[in-house]
Amino acid sequence: MAKHALFGGGMHPEDGNHAIYHHEVRCTLDGLGLNLQLADKRDVLYRKPDADFVFPLLNRGGFVNSEMLIPILCNKHGISYLGAMPFLRGLGDDKSVAKLVALHAGVPTAPWFCYRRGGPVEQRNLPPAPTGRWVIKPNASSASWEVSDAYDWQGVANAIADIHGQGHDAIVEPYLDGYDVQCAFITLDGRPIPLPILWYERENTQKLWTYYEKRDLVQNTEKAALKRFDHPEFAQKIMLLARDYARELVPFDYGRIEFRVDLDTGEINFIEINLN
């Protein structure tokens, strides 16, 4: 199940390289010789389908907490599925709650506040930002969708109002300089097993990286490359922090834990968890 499971490969005008990703997964499963049925909508699970396993990649359903629906429907029908249980999928989709898990696991994360839609938007809840710069984004966004920054309370409040107007909660935190470093895990024999750590080596770490750039929908003029992260000092530290976090979620089959790492100051902060 994926939004572009029936798409013939290539870039999509709205979702960009995500359509290529879905096509590659489909081809891989086909290559395993599975009896594969394809779906690009959730309603195939409203009644019990003739299937004994569901591989869900149908993310971002256009409504709040959509990540939880497919595993809930699978639980209702008694069908096995790839991925974490519904509540953990919801936890991974809520950046604020994911940060609470980080605190519980002893993993450092930047101060934050989640301005829930319908709740008060008050300056007294604004987290401190030593550099005077805040980042505002939907609390359940992916690939930096609708991310923005601001340098004063009015700018922050305007960004929150825009996100609330689109039907989402807004999370606010100080801007962290550094690089995005991601540690992926798969669950084997009930334990989270780490895959090689990756990072985006960028020219300008101060520049916000937008959804359109991550999905290759606009030309990226900045030199940025996804590479293996083998830093002699930081790699082991990040691996241990990621493992501490991953233990809180087992079993989740596979997922990616992301950090912001400042190579100059040595500061490492948890950013978010993506349970795929």
Side-chain angles (χ1 to χ4, degrees), residues 61-112:
F63 56 92
V64 177
N65 302 135
S66 63
E67 305 296 281
M68 301 173 68
L69 181 57
I70 291 176
I72 285 175
L73 291 171
C74 288
N75 282 352
K76 177 177 181 290
H77 297 312
I79 303 173
S80 299
Y81 53 92
L82 188 80
M85 64 184 71
F87 179 77
L88 291 181
R89 286 300 304 269
L91 183 157
D93 201 36
D94 189 303
K95 290 179 172 55
S96 179
V97 177
K99 282 173 168 285
L100 291 174
V101 174
L103 294 181
H104 181 267
V107 176
T109 188
W112 80 95

Side-chain angles (χ1 to χ4, degrees), residues 174-189:
Y175 180 80
L176 300 175
D177 195 20
Y179 298 91
D180 292 332
V181 178
Q182 40 189 267
C183 188
F185 286 84
I186 57 175
T187 305
L188 291 176
D189 298 324

Side-chain angles (χ1 to χ4, degrees), residues 24-34 36 55:
E24 289 176 345
V25 173
R26 171 185 170 177
C27 291
T28 300
L29 296 176
D30 272 330
L32 294 175
L34 299 175
L36 196 63
F55 192 124

Side-chain angles (χ1 to χ4, degrees), residues 179-205:
Y179 298 91
D180 292 332
V181 178
Q182 40 189 267
C183 188
F185 286 84
I186 57 175
T187 305
L188 291 176
D189 298 324
R191 294 189 302 118
I193 305 298
L195 301 176
I197 303 177
L198 302 175
W199 70 313
Y200 280 99
E201 189 177 31
R202 304 181 61 199
E203 284 184 312
N204 182 8
T205 58

